[in-house]
Amino acid sequence: MSTLDNPNVRTNQMRAIERARPLTSPERATRTRAQVAAKRTASSTLGQVTLAGAGGLCLVASANYFSVRGAAWSDALFWLGLIVLFVPFALRLASASATRAERIVLILELGAGLYLVKVMHSPLAFTFPDELIHLRDLNDILASQQLFSANSILPATPYYPGLEIVTAALVSVTRLAPFQAGLVVIGVARLMILLGLFLIFEETSHSARVAGLGALLYTANSNYLFWTAQFAYESLSLPLAVLCVWLLLRREHTRDRRFAFGLTIGALLTLCAVIVTHHITAYVLVLLLWLWFVVERGRGRNVQYGIGKIALVATLSTLAWLLLVANATIFYLAPVLRDALQGLVRIVLAPNSARELFRSNSGSVAPFYDRIVAILAVLAILLLIPFGLVRINKAYLGRPYALVLAITVLLYPLLLPLRFARPTWEISNRASEYIFIGVSFVIAVGLVEFPWNTLAERLKRVPAGWAKVPALCVPIVTLLFLGGMVSGWQPNARLALPYAMAAGSQVIYPQGIAAANWVRDALGQNNRIAADYVNARLLLAYGKQIPLSGTASGIPFLLNGTSLDSGAQEILRTNRIAYTLVDRRMSNRDPLTGFSFPNDPTAPNHLDAMMYEKFDWAAGVNRVFDSGDIFIYQMENANDTTPTH
Amino acid sequence: MTLHRPTNLVLAMAGALLLALLVALQWTSIPPVSIVTLPLVLFLPGYGLSAVLLGNYRVSRAARLLWSVGLSIAVAIVGGVLVALTPWGLQTTTWVILLAGVTCSAGGLAWLGGYGTGDRGRMTDEGRRRMDDNKGFRVSPGDAILFGLAVLAILAALQIAQLPAPPTSANGYTSLWILPSNSPNAHVIHFGFTSQEMEPVTYKVVVQVNGQPAQTWSEITLQPGEQWMNSFDASQVAAAAKIEADLYREDEPDAVYRSAVVNAN
């Protein structure tokens, strides 16, 4: 008889499981019955759930298809597709009868499915603003085979090249195109983060059900569906940080030195990878390690290998990278933090200067049903958190990392008011992918382990496999998911926009891409070009230019002014601008939709003519390119401040 | 079949060497081969490292998967930074040496140390608790059919997503450009235009010098995606004259469709 079939071994294992769980846990009896039920079931429901999820993806694809063709109801189809994709996974993960292996597969499938939602939004090229910045960094590495090239739009990114390094490796080895390799890397990262969170939550709660539900709930954070699915450095750094935390968590309670050593090496390696990949994730990881250290000191009775030394190494390594390699980050982050602080002070002193909720920077306003769902989701989170905290207080006090997660949850309600100020909205939004790790764990603990589950268990007239599903769990989880999706991405950018148009046997791309390609081919690379937010990124990624668009350089003043006065001349001279690209479309001003064709070609879309005609009237300026909405002016001889007629 | 302790490591090392050979022979330009080499970057280095770091301890498959993928990415990042400091830089050869080298070195160390990734070995606490890792999870023929249907549905969804938008979804455009010659002694002005319209369009180009028509080209019909180029001899043009290329559409002969201007130097 093998070890695995030995009933004594099984009994000992089950006793070990019982010891690991507090006696008061309702999950204990549930898990025991679940294991018995699992053996009785002929097979899992994995096939059905997978097919249902695929059906949801087909609906989302259809929504994108009809959106590009101008159908007004495509948004409703998109919502339906997301629900059809999400709910079957939620149903199965919330049930008590699914095995651990099944939960893991479900989580990975859901992660892949949700990633495909983003891929289907932009299946042909990167269209999110930050993606184009990182695409340029990647192409520079591929071309020069070296690191740390300059990036005029976001100077800090070349100094955190982790994402680009891995993608360059993939391009070099597999000969995939940069876009395809980028999709693969981010896809793998998306699966990594969910698997890592599952293992962390399982390690912390000793329950695969809590782990599965927690990982599911993480997909409800406002940046999950689109923002952290883009080809950007944070999309890779956060999964690496999760892996690092998991390794350290495993290390905390092991009693074997050899094993602890291996885990330490693994954790240090991933820590180094995080530091090289993204600044904020590294800083958050350092803060988390120190918080963990403090909690461990207070509560870690059975900790064999503590966090203190790792936290110290992490701090010193992060500082060393910042000061010795990436000190441009200081100039990039300092103004952001300063503006955020000033914005917060302004809100307190003048509350009526607050930002209007559900209106994006480009002016698009979320529909009524979006707002209702988002508000209900936030309220649901605020209501559910206390149940989880009560449970953690009762049963998890001896586990430092559970307390760390509980403490981070307390930041969630504190971050909500930051959404009312324009400079701090970004901080609040970007913090959600970190804070939500704690939020998802605490809510999962509350949903699974709070005694209300015993009510659902008394339901007799449901199929065996579904008997343990808490009655309200799935609708709540679905509400949180949809609310997160609404909160994190403006509605007019949720669905695909026309990007590639069929014209006979040809495919036509937007004017900005044509302009960027022309600049590269006709003018050569690395010209300094003043451009707006959207075209600057296209010139950076496809045009291989040195575009300037930031407020610090005065470019908006140059582009939006109605004359080439002395101030504009000074901007040209100071920034050594050789060319200026003017895009007269208002739709181009939206950073999320400006990379595609305008969704409504008949809508009025032009800025004040004087914004671009001032260049036509200036002496010594050549208009070298005209595509109807985009004009490129050669500025090298612009030395006359008086417009001539 | 139960794989014995060293076999997984040997397979991993052999796989890394084989994939490295495929890359070196440049067979990765063939798409299926290209996909096959993905594990060289995203799995094998971490797998080898996990074998030597975990020693004789068994972990669940999920943990092994996360170890392998995560450490592979970490190896690529940290190794990439170090390789970039060398004179050879980040090129295909150095990548292959780094990734296959880490896989084989770590795997070799693990093999020599008697570590393994198979059924034998001590159980970690996590491994012991996860005994149902592979239990209660069976894929029946019915499930396999459902999986197959799901894959087909997803492939169909991806195909739908990549369909170009119809011509009615947005307006096409034409790009006109003008540039002086790069040579300092040449007085030639180059100009041209590319059609990104939705249907064939017939154009007329008029080059003006200081507002006076100097040369005209008519009946230029371009299909979508086609380009037309020409040049204008500006040697007889006075310095500081304004040379303008105006593009007209045949269906709107009175309206300047596109205009580009350059000052003769």
Side-chain angles (χ1 to χ4, degrees), chain A residues 319-353:
Chain A
L319 280 174
W321 189 264
L322 173 65
L323 296 173
L324 299 176
V325 178
N327 44 32
T329 314
I330 300 171
F331 304 106
Y332 161 60
L333 287 178
V336 173
L337 294 171
R338 181 200 63 215
D339 291 345
L341 213 56
Q342 286 174 350
L344 206 54
V345 168
R346 213 175 298 135
I347 289 285
V348 171
L349 296 178
N352 55 359
S353 66

Side-chain angles (χ1 to χ4, degrees), chain A residues 114-147:
Chain A
L114 292 176
Y115 181 58
L116 287 178
V117 171
K118 186 269 179 191
V119 172
M120 291 192 298
H121 178 284
S122 309
L124 301 175
F126 294 131
T127 60
F128 294 175
D130 283 5
E131 291 184 317
L132 296 173
I133 293 173
H134 291 281
L135 181 62
R136 171 60 182 266
D137 291 338
L138 170 62
N139 285 329
D140 284 346
I141 292 174
L142 289 170
S144 67
Q145 300 175 349
Q146 299 295 332
L147 301 177

Side-chain angles (χ1 to χ4, degrees), chain A residues 4 10 13 17 20 35 38-39 41-44 46-48 50-51 54-55 57-58 61-62 65 68-69 99-102 104-105 108-109 116 119-120 123-124 141 145-147 162-163 165-166 168-170 172-176 184 188 192 195-196 199 202-203 206 236 240 243 246-247 250 253-254 256 258-259 262-263 265-266 269-270 272-273 276-277 321 498 500-504 506-511 514 518 522-523 597-599 601 620-628 634 637, chain B residues 23 26 28-29 34-35 37-38 40-42 49 51-55 57-67 69-71 73-78 80-81 84-92 95-96 99 115 122 124-126 128-140 143 146-147 149-151 153-154 156-158 160-180 195-199 224-225 257-263 265:
Chain A
L4 299 179
R10 281 211 301 280
Q13 289 159 4
I17 292 168
Q35 286 175 340
K39 290 184 178 59
T41 53
S43 68
S44 68
L46 203 52
Q48 295 97 305
T50 305
L51 185 59
L57 279 177
C58 286
S62 303
Y65 177 87
V68 161
R69 285 149 181 82
T99 63
R100 177 179 186 265
E102 190 182 345
I104 290 172
V105 173
L108 291 178
E109 284 187 356
L116 287 178
V119 172
M120 291 192 298
L124 301 175
I141 292 174
Q145 300 175 349
Q146 299 295 332
L147 301 177
L163 171 68
I165 290 175
V166 177
L170 213 56
S172 300
V173 169
T174 65
R175 295 276 183 254
L176 287 172
V184 170
V188 168
M192 259 178 66
L195 182 56
L199 292 173
E202 187 187 40
E203 189 67 35
H206 299 161
L236 180 60
L240 287 170
L243 172 61
W246 174 63
L247 293 173
R250 285 294 300 120
H253 290 284
T254 186
D256 188 280
R258 172 69 181 78
F259 189 44
L263 289 166
I265 298 298
L269 186 59
T270 50
C272 291
V276 174
T277 303
W321 189 264
M501 308 271 295
Q506 291 292 315
V507 178
I508 307 296
Y509 294 99
Q511 287 187 47
W518 177 83
L523 305 181
F597 286 99
N599 208 12
V621 175
N622 299 328
R623 183 202 275 200
V624 295
F625 181 91
D626 176 1
S627 64
Q634 186 178 34
N637 296 318
Chain B
V23 175
Q26 298 187 347
T28 47
S29 52
S34 166
I35 302 297
T37 54
L38 276 173
L40 183 58
V41 181
L42 295 176
L49 260 184
V52 75
L53 292 179
L54 286 171
Y57 284 84
R58 272 184 64 189
V59 293
S60 66
R61 287 185 180 180
R64 178 74 65 181
L65 177 64
L66 189 59
W67 270 90
V69 173
L71 288 185
I73 292 175
V75 161
I77 292 173
V78 175
V81 171
L85 296 173
T86 67
W88 303 285
L90 297 169
Q91 48 178 306
T92 304
W95 277 121
V96 166
L99 299 169
Y115 306 140
R122 296 169 65 181
T124 61
D125 295 341
E126 184 245 12
R128 212 172 288 118
R129 283 201 297 267
R130 315 295 180 243
M131 285 303 294
D132 65 338
D133 198 14
N134 302 318
K135 288 185 180 178
F137 177 62
R138 284 175 286 161
V139 180
S140 65
D143 277 343
L146 293 174
F147 278 128
L149 288 173
V151 168
I154 291 169
L158 289 171
I160 292 170
Q162 293 181 70
L163 291 174
T168 49
S169 300
N171 297 325
Y173 57 95
T174 302
S175 309
L176 172 72
W177 54 268
I178 189 168
L179 283 174
S195 169
Q196 278 113 349
E197 305 287 351
M198 298 302 162
E199 66 281 321
Y257 189 48
R258 300 285 185 262
S259 178
V261 179
V262 69
N263 293 295
N265 290 324

Side-chain angles (χ1 to χ4, degrees), chain A residues 236-460:
Chain A
L236 180 60
S237 66
L238 192 49
L240 287 170
V242 165
L243 172 61
C244 180
V245 167
W246 174 63
L247 293 173
L248 293 172
L249 191 58
R250 285 294 300 120
R251 174 180 172 272
E252 200 177 46
H253 290 284
T254 186
R255 280 162 171 72
D256 188 280
R257 283 186 71 167
R258 172 69 181 78
F259 189 44
F261 177 74
L263 289 166
T264 305
I265 298 298
L268 289 175
L269 186 59
T270 50
L271 172 67
C272 291
V274 170
I275 291 170
V276 174
T277 303
H278 187 229
H279 34 68
I280 296 294
T281 307
Y283 307 155
V284 169
L285 184 57
V286 166
L287 288 174
L288 180 81
L289 291 175
W290 283 115
L291 174 63
W292 194 351
F293 170 69
V294 168
V295 173
E296 196 179 74
R297 283 282 168 177
R299 282 285 175 185
R301 282 184 287 273
N302 297 320
V303 170
Q304 295 295 313
Y305 295 94
I307 287 294
K309 287 181 188 159
I310 302 289
L312 188 62
V313 168
T315 308
L316 294 173
S317 309
T318 304
L319 280 174
W321 189 264
L322 173 65
L323 296 173
L324 299 176
V325 178
N327 44 32
T329 314
I330 300 171
F331 304 106
Y332 161 60
L333 287 178
V336 173
L337 294 171
R338 181 200 63 215
D339 291 345
L341 213 56
Q342 286 174 350
L344 206 54
V345 168
R346 213 175 298 135
I347 289 285
V348 171
L349 296 178
N352 55 359
S353 66
R355 169 187 170 265
E356 183 184 339
L357 287 181
F358 302 109
R359 178 185 287 273
S360 72
N361 287 343
S362 61
S364 82
V365 179
F368 177 71
Y369 50 86
D370 272 22
R371 304 181 195 207
I372 293 294
V373 167
I375 292 171
L376 286 176
V378 170
L379 289 175
I381 291 172
L382 293 173
L383 280 171
L384 287 169
I385 284 175
F387 293 102
L389 291 177
V390 163
R391 181 68 203 150
I392 287 173
N393 183 54
K394 251 192 153 176
Y396 288 80
L397 289 182
R399 286 175 241 176
Y401 195 68
L403 299 179
V404 169
L405 290 172
I407 292 170
T408 59
V409 162
L410 300 177
L411 290 174
Y412 180 80
L414 298 178
L415 286 175
L416 287 175
L418 298 185
R419 289 187 173 253
F420 288 92
R422 209 172 292 277
T424 54
W425 176 88
E426 188 68 27
I427 291 180
S428 172
N429 192 44
R430 297 287 293 274
S432 71
E433 56 252 36
Y434 300 98
I435 304 296
F436 224 82
I437 293 176
V439 170
S440 52
F441 175 74
V442 168
I443 293 180
V445 167
L447 283 174
V448 173
E449 299 189 3
F450 208 76
W452 61 42
N453 287 348
T454 54
L455 294 176
E457 288 171 12
R458 291 192 185 126
L459 292 174
K460 307 278 186 213

